[in-house]
C-alpha cells in the first residue's frame, strides 16, 4: 500500500541564466586557476561522458527532500522505504528524471548504503530507465 507523505510546496527564486553564469564564474575563479562558465544549449545527457537516464533536466525542476537524517539516528529505521515513482507523482511529475543523493535500500542491499539516483521514472509518455548506483562498505575488509 502506498504511504501518504506530506508534501510542502515552496516557490523558489529562479535567476536569469546569464546572472547565474556570472555568479558561478566569480565563485569558481576564486577557487580554481582556470574556470570558464557560459550558458549553452543542454547537450544530450544520456550520451558520454554524462550517461544519465534522461537527455536533460526536462524543464520542470523540483527539489524533493524525502526521508532524512531522523530515519538514521539514533539507529537506522530499516522499515522506512520510499518509492521514487510515487515521489515523482506526489510532486506532480509522473515520468520525472530523478538525480541526486540519498540513503540506499538496505532491504535490497542488505546493509546501510549510499544511493546515487539516476532514474527516469515511469509515467506520462515515459518508460522507466534506471541507471541508479549504490555504494556500501565491504564488511569483510572495511573498504
Amino acid at each position: 500500500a502506498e504511504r501518504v507523505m506530506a508534501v510542502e510546496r515552496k516557490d523558489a527564486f529562479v535567476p536569469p541564466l546569464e546572472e547565474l553564469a556570472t555568479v558561478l564564474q566569480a565563485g569558481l575563479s576564486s577557487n580554481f586557476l582556470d574556470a570558464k562558465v557560459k550558458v549553452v544549449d543542454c547537450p544530450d545527457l544520456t550520451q558520454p561522458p554524462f550517461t544519465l537516464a534522461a537527455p536533460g533536466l526536462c524543464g520542470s525542476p523540483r527539489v524533493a527532500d524525502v526521508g532524512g537524517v531522523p530515519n538514521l539516528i539514533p539507529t537506522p529505521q530499516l522499515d522506512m522505504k520510499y518509492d521514487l515513482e510515487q515521489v515523482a507523482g506526489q510532486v506532480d511529475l509522473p515520468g520525472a528524471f530523478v538525480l541526486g543523493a540519498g540513503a540506499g535500500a538496505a532491504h535490497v542491499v542488505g546493509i546501510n548504503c549510499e544511493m546515487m539516483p539516476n532514474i527516469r521514472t515511469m509515467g506520462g509518455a515515459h518508460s522507466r530507465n534506471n541507471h541508479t548506483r549504490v555504494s556500501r562498505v565491504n564488511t569483510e575488509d572495511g573498504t
Side-chain angles (χ1 to χ4, degrees), residues 57-72:
L57 299 182
C58 309
S60 298
R62 306 284 197 281
V63 174
D65 185 12
V66 180
V69 174
N71 290 338
L72 297 172

Side-chain angles (χ1 to χ4, degrees), residues 78-132:
L78 300 179
D79 60 321
M80 300 303 290
K81 299 174 185 172
Y82 300 95
D83 180 334
L84 293 178
E85 290 184 357
Q86 178 187 355
V87 171
Q90 288 192 273
V91 298
D92 301 323
L93 284 176
F97 172 39
V98 179
L99 184 66
H107 67 284
V108 173
V109 178
I111 190 170
N112 271 353
C113 57
E114 293 298 314
M115 174 180 67
M116 291 71 63
N118 175 12
I119 180 174
R120 167 69 71 125
T121 62
M122 190 180 321
H126 303 289
S127 58
R128 182 181 303 117
N129 184 18
N130 191 357
H131 294 272
T132 297

Side-chain angles (χ1 to χ4, degrees), residues 2 6-7 14 20 22 25 29 33 35 39-40 47 53 78 88-89 96 102 105 107-108 113 126 143:
E2 281 190 7
V7 176
V14 180
L20 181 60
T22 300
Q25 181 68 54
S29 294
L33 184 60
V39 176
V40 299
Q47 300 302 307
L78 300 179
H107 67 284
V108 173
C113 57
H126 303 289
T143 59

Side-chain angles (χ1 to χ4, degrees), residues 9-15 63:
R9 290 172 169 74
K10 301 279 186 184
D11 289 330
F13 171 67
V14 180
V63 174

